[in-house]
Amino acid sequence: MLERIERIQGIGLLHDVDGKALKLSSIQLIYADNGRGKSTLASVLRSVSTGDVSTITERKTVDRNTPPAATLTFGSGHKVTFKDGSWSEQRPELLVFDAEFIEKNVHSGGVVTPGQRKNLLQFALGASAVKAQAAEDQATKSASAANAAVAQITAQLAGYHQGMLLPAFIRLKPAAELETQPLVNDLRKRIQVAQNIGVVMARPLPAEITEPMFDIDSLFTILNTSLKDVEENAEQIVSQHFKKPGYDNIEKWVSDGLRFDDGSTCPYCSQSTDGVSLIKAYRTHFNKKYEELKSKVSVLERGVLARTSDSVIDTLDVALATSNAALVAWSVDHELPQVTFDRNKAKEDITTLRTYLLSLVGTKLNKPLEPIGDDAEKLFAKTQWQNVLSHIQNTNSQVRDARKAIENYRASLQSENIGMMNQSIINLELAVSRGKAEVTDLITSLAAARQKAVDAETLKKTARAALVTHMSETLKTFQKSINTILLKFGASFSIEKMDANFRGGARSEYGLSLRGMSITLDGTPRFSTALSEGDKRTLAFAFFVATVAADTELKDKVVVIDDPMCSLDANRKAQTIGVLKTISGKAEQIVILAHDPFFIRDLRDKLTAKGAPALQILQLQHSVDGYSDLAKFDPDKECESPFYRHHRLIMELSAGISHDNRTVAQAIRPFLEGYLHRRFPGLIPRDLMFGQIVGHIAAAQPNDPLYFAHGLLEELQEINSYSGQFHHDTNPGLCETIPVVTSELISFGQRALTLVYRGAA
């Protein structure tokens, strides 16, 4: 047995540990925050077990020149020392589970190496000569004892599920208050909306954006228009001709004469007009279709600019803002996404269309008589315009979705049931109660107790099965032991096909069965990805426990377990405690290091023998220069709630234990507040101060459960008058100066205790 961790120097944060005054017990719990040297201590114990000093030399304290050294005291005061890089002797009776055990025997980084398979085989074969004992001893408990445990735990749970049957409460999904509070707030908001449905239904709905119009077919009709027998420079020729001297007002005369033009002979002299450029120019100048074409072409550019300018997109943005403003009004009590419009891409697409069309229009302006724009160019223009419209259509699709969501929401308001929503709030509050650590522990213990009652006979029969000595049979039994532990831990996987071979030396082989699928260590899917980090550590812990439990010399062994709770859920936590209790009953000594004070407390309670004093717990605490040292540890104080802390202070003062009087005086009022909240759960608003709580009770009517507290009012008021003078909220500026008379404080403290214990003044 390891009796003392007498001295450790120069090893990580354990630079100057002095534990001479702290004698270890056969069940020794050691608490340490993360980063306080817990794993370092486990490595020191592993090193003395195996003789491998690298785990110590590699952890030399980095900011000190002190050489690593250690002194451990075993049974009968026998000292084992580490000095000058070596141990004075090995202590193979130490069996250590830590990160190094996992890395050497199970896996590292999700990979299972040949060396780890070899080490695992050697580790397992150490237990091949005896029957498996890890789980069977616990299974020998009688069914009557298990049923008694069920009844006891059921009674303990009764106070947590008032208003709901226990089976329904157990099935209730646990929830934290931070998780349920938004849901409760949402339900209360829905209740408020349901009570004001008329105002909500009158809110405006978001409207779709009107798509701009652009008749590209008409544009290309003008671009494609051409006139035959038209003189391109007709205007210049006619203008020059009319400028001749004496030709004033000749234009009307020529225009009137063109009515007699048959297109081939002059109406004045009957001569042929073919090839006469002036006649052709006259015909062009006075051609109405030509005038119409010129007029249409002249406004093309303005029309294109009007329909493809950036202001078109800006107008859409304004419409979008209007729709989003409507959505904001609905989002007050119904979450809706904002409608988006890809303004930049829309502008980019409309700019591309504008540039393209202006190029075609420019060409038409220069050559109005020639057809411009073929089918391919027309198709490109239509496609580009559709690209512009697609952004609007996408936005409108979002608007329609939002309108549909709002309509659904409006419809849902018609069917809202305020009573059911209030019941849902109650259920959520029960879910918070369901999620409390003590409730989870009780339910886990209840499930375990029920399962023990059902499986007791089966496990007894399994315990009688003899182990064979051959290697394959040993591994087969080892596989069964592991899977039994995995089953207790609630793991979704198991070990299968466990065997050994001699490829590269004797080594183990095994696979995993997960959800009906076989998974090899090297194939696909593989070990590294199929299991979570918690599952991998659970598997490693199962390997360790199975081997330790089967050790025929376990009564002479010291079992050291570093952080058995790492990455484990609530069920595995409870099962882990059961496993550790089993080991503690069989090993000479068990040393458990953990970073969770609640786990340490629960473990102490489970491992303390009935009627025996509570186990002494040690801790690695913060010391000089940020290093760590060994000291005693009280998990009850570390884990106690404010209510229990206030109760303890008042009770200890009444029992004659010295405390700061002002601190105790300031504890009386919150102690009574906690009592009243517990006695009348949910009936007293949490934000009321003590005086307001007293007033709240005084206002309770006979049909209100708080009415039963009327008999306490006079006593509560007197205690409040006394204790309130020591609180800043009721006596600002003077609360720290009023003297606290010890006898008076004890009297009022005892009155507060009497009120809580008796439920009466």
Side-chain angles (χ1 to χ4, degrees):
M1 177 172 163
L2 179 63
E3 292 185 346
R4 283 183 173 80
I5 302 171
E6 190 165 310
R7 193 76 171 168
I8 299 178
Q9 293 177 298
I11 305 175
L13 289 179
L14 309 183
H15 173 63
D16 191 17
V17 173
D18 184 357
K20 288 190 292 291
L22 302 172
K23 185 175 181 179
L24 307 185
S25 61
S26 60
I27 301 176
Q28 184 60 59
L29 309 181
I30 301 178
Y31 165 75
D33 287 335
N34 284 325
R36 277 289 108 216
K38 177 167 47 62
S39 297
T40 300
L41 178 56
S43 293
V44 171
L45 299 178
R46 170 174 290 280
S47 177
V48 73
S49 170
T50 63
D52 181 3
V53 300
S54 63
T55 57
I56 291 182
T57 56
E58 291 171 359
R59 292 175 181 263
K60 180 182 180 299
T61 304
V62 295
D63 56 347
R64 289 290 189 272
N65 293 323
T66 305
T71 301
L72 306 176
T73 303
F74 287 84
S76 303
H78 182 73
K79 296 187 187 312
V80 178
T81 60
F82 179 85
K83 186 178 181 181
D84 298 331
S86 64
W87 287 100
S88 60
E89 62 180 271
Q90 285 182 231
R91 302 295 298 211
E93 70 269 25
L94 270 70
L95 305 177
V96 182
F97 175 80
D98 59 358
E100 190 173 345
F101 169 85
I102 298 173
E103 188 166 341
K104 285 188 174 182
N105 299 285
V106 187
H107 69 87
S108 56
V111 178
V112 182
T113 66
Q116 289 163 341
R117 299 179 200 182
K118 181 178 180 179
N119 292 341
L120 180 62
L121 178 63
Q122 294 173 346
F123 190 70
L125 291 179
S128 62
V130 295
K131 295 181 179 180
Q133 296 291 328
E136 287 75 5
D137 287 348
Q138 191 67 28
T140 57
K141 289 184 178 180
S142 65
S144 59
N147 288 329
V150 170
Q152 180 184 7
I153 299 170
T154 300
Q156 290 178 276
L157 282 168
Y160 292 99
H161 61 90
Q162 294 179 3
M164 181 178 286
L165 295 176
L166 179 58
F169 181 66
I170 291 175
R171 291 194 300 271
L172 199 61
K173 183 180 179 181
E177 188 169 0
L178 290 176
E179 176 187 351
T180 60
Q181 195 58 49
L183 300 176
V184 171
N185 293 340
D186 180 63
L187 285 168
R188 287 174 176 157
K189 187 184 296 182
R190 285 171 57 191
I191 292 172
Q192 184 178 8
V193 170
Q195 292 169 340
N196 299 277
I197 191 170
V199 176
V200 175
M201 299 293 279
R203 294 174 185 165
L205 295 173
E208 293 186 39
I209 299 173
T210 303
E211 294 185 12
M213 304 294 293
F214 192 175
D215 192 347
I216 291 178
D217 286 326
S218 297
L219 170 64
F220 271 81
T221 297
I222 298 172
L223 291 174
N224 294 156
T225 301
S226 65
L227 296 176
K228 296 181 180 180
D229 300 323
V230 176
E231 185 72 35
E232 285 195 18
N233 55 351
E235 302 301 327
Q236 182 180 357
I237 295 172
V238 172
S239 177
Q240 290 296 328
H241 183 67
F242 286 167
K243 286 181 181 179
K244 289 184 179 183
Y247 279 22
D248 296 339
N249 300 319
I250 192 174
E251 184 170 355
K252 185 177 184 305
W253 181 81
V254 174
S255 175
D256 292 340
L258 278 177
R259 287 181 296 167
F260 305 98
D261 181 17
D262 62 2
S264 60
T265 58
C266 177
Y268 305 107
C269 63
S270 297
Q271 295 184 58
S272 173
T273 58
D274 289 342
V276 180
S277 61
L278 182 59
I279 297 301
K280 190 176 182 180
Y282 283 155
R283 291 172 181 156
T284 301
H285 181 73
F286 294 105
N287 188 331
K288 288 185 177 180
K289 290 185 177 180
Y290 179 55
E291 289 299 322
E292 290 174 1
L293 178 60
K294 288 194 297 179
S295 175
K296 290 179 179 178
V297 171
S298 67
V299 298
L300 284 180
E301 183 176 39
R302 186 168 65 253
V304 169
L305 288 173
R307 289 165 176 77
T308 62
S309 69
D310 286 352
S311 64
V312 173
I313 306 303
D314 295 336
T315 301
L316 299 176
D317 257 351
V318 173
L320 174 66
T322 302
S323 290
N324 276 329
L327 286 174
V328 168
W330 285 98
S331 297
V332 171
D333 46 48
H334 182 65
E335 186 174 349
L336 290 169
Q338 289 286 290
V339 174
T340 61
F341 174 62
D342 196 342
R343 182 175 185 274
N344 294 333
K345 191 64 172 69
K347 280 197 172 184
E348 180 183 329
D349 288 339
I350 207 168
T351 299
T352 300
L353 177 61
R354 181 172 66 244
T355 303
Y356 183 70
L357 292 179
L358 288 177
S359 173
L360 295 176
V361 169
T363 303
K364 186 66 176 179
L365 287 172
N366 291 331
K367 297 179 180 181
L369 300 178
E370 293 185 9
I372 303 299
D374 56 22
D375 289 343
E377 291 170 319
K378 181 178 179 181
L379 177 61
F380 176 80
K382 284 190 171 184
T383 301
Q384 194 61 28
W385 178 244
Q386 185 56 45
N387 289 344
V388 175
L389 295 181
S390 68
H391 300 297
I392 304 168
Q393 292 162 357
N394 178 56
T395 298
N396 283 339
S397 176
Q398 297 177 56
V399 171
R400 288 191 295 273
D401 290 343
R403 286 177 66 96
K404 184 176 180 181
I406 292 172
E407 291 296 344
N408 292 337
Y409 176 58
R410 285 160 61 107
S412 71
L413 292 180
Q414 304 291 343
S415 60
E416 287 282 38
N417 187 316
I418 295 176
M420 289 181 64
M421 288 189 286
N422 281 322
Q423 184 59 48
S424 295
I425 291 175
I426 294 173
N427 290 345
L428 287 170
E429 290 171 344
L430 283 174
V432 173
S433 178
R434 175 64 178 82
K436 291 180 178 179
E438 62 268 26
V439 173
T440 300
D441 290 343
L442 285 171
I443 290 175
T444 301
S445 299
L446 179 62
R450 286 173 172 172
Q451 190 62 43
K452 287 175 184 177
V454 173
D455 294 342
E457 195 59 37
T458 301
L459 292 179
K460 287 177 184 177
K461 293 178 182 178
T462 303
R464 298 189 187 101
L467 295 178
V468 297
T469 56
H470 298 291
M471 185 170 65
S472 60
E473 293 178 343
T474 300
L475 290 177
K476 183 178 180 180
T477 304
F478 189 46
Q479 173 181 318
K480 289 181 179 179
S481 300
I482 292 169
N483 286 337
T484 299
I485 295 166
L486 292 175
L487 180 63
K488 283 192 172 187
F489 283 154
S492 60
F493 62 92
S494 60
I495 298 295
E496 66 177 8
K497 301 175 184 177
M498 195 163 204
D499 207 341
N501 59 51
F502 294 90
R503 292 193 293 268
R507 69 182 191 184
S508 62
E509 293 287 354
Y510 60 92
L512 301 176
S513 176
L514 175 64
R515 300 177 66 86
M517 294 289 294
S518 293
I519 299 172
T520 63
L521 300 181
D522 307 314
T524 302
R526 63 179 61 201
F527 176 87
S528 59
T529 55
L531 299 186
S532 68
E533 292 307 310
D535 283 340
K536 292 172 187 175
R537 188 172 181 94
T538 298
L539 176 62
F541 191 49
F543 280 155
F544 179 82
V545 171
T547 304
V548 168
D551 191 337
T552 56
E553 299 178 354
L554 184 57
K555 62 181 178 59
D556 300 320
K557 299 294 177 68
V558 176
V559 180
V560 180
I561 300 178
D562 178 20
D563 235 348
M565 277 303 301
C566 182
S567 299
L568 299 185
D569 58 24
N571 175 61
R572 295 180 187 178
K573 173 182 176 180
Q575 298 301 337
T576 298
I577 291 176
V579 166
L580 296 177
K581 183 174 182 179
T582 299
I583 294 175
S584 69
K586 296 181 178 182
E588 179 183 24
Q589 183 181 26
I590 185 170
V591 179
I592 303 169
L593 303 96
H595 70 278
D596 183 348
F598 293 95
F599 176 68
I600 285 286
R601 181 196 62 189
D602 295 346
L603 194 58
R604 177 205 62 188
D605 295 343
K606 292 290 185 181
L607 299 187
T608 298
K610 186 175 181 180
L615 298 174
Q616 174 183 275
I617 303 175
L618 302 180
Q619 68 170 327
L620 286 171
Q621 68 177 10
H622 186 278
S623 185
V624 179
D625 294 332
Y627 298 120
S628 298
D629 200 0
L630 274 174
K632 293 183 179 180
F633 177 66
D634 185 348
D636 292 321
K637 287 186 179 180
E638 184 74 15
C639 301
E640 69 182 352
S641 67
F643 175 76
Y644 286 103
R645 183 172 64 254
H646 296 143
H647 170 262
R648 177 175 53 80
L649 288 172
I650 298 169
M651 184 181 66
E652 289 177 351
L653 180 71
S654 299
I657 300 174
S658 177
H659 283 293
D660 175 63
N661 281 358
R662 192 171 302 278
T663 300
V664 179
Q666 292 171 343
I668 293 175
R669 195 170 71 173
F671 169 60
L672 291 176
E673 288 178 6
Y675 160 70
L676 291 171
H677 280 295
R678 283 163 173 79
R679 180 176 172 184
F680 303 101
L683 299 179
I684 301 174
R686 288 285 177 182
D687 56 350
L688 296 185
M689 292 188 296
F690 190 67
Q692 294 170 319
I693 291 175
V694 174
H696 191 67
I697 293 173
Q701 298 302 308
N703 61 343
D704 189 335
L706 281 176
Y707 191 77
F708 291 109
H710 274 201
L712 307 179
L713 283 174
E714 183 178 349
E715 183 72 352
L716 289 173
Q717 289 167 344
E718 290 187 15
I719 295 175
N720 184 42
S721 297
Y722 169 75
S723 60
Q725 63 185 327
F726 304 109
H727 289 268
H728 181 76
D729 56 356
T730 53
N731 194 16
L734 298 175
C735 61
E736 296 295 338
T737 60
I738 293 178
V740 183
V741 179
T742 301
S743 59
E744 187 179 26
L745 174 61
I746 292 174
S747 173
F748 276 97
Q750 290 175 339
R751 288 170 68 177
L753 291 171
T754 298
L755 188 150
V756 170
Y757 293 157
R758 295 179 56 189

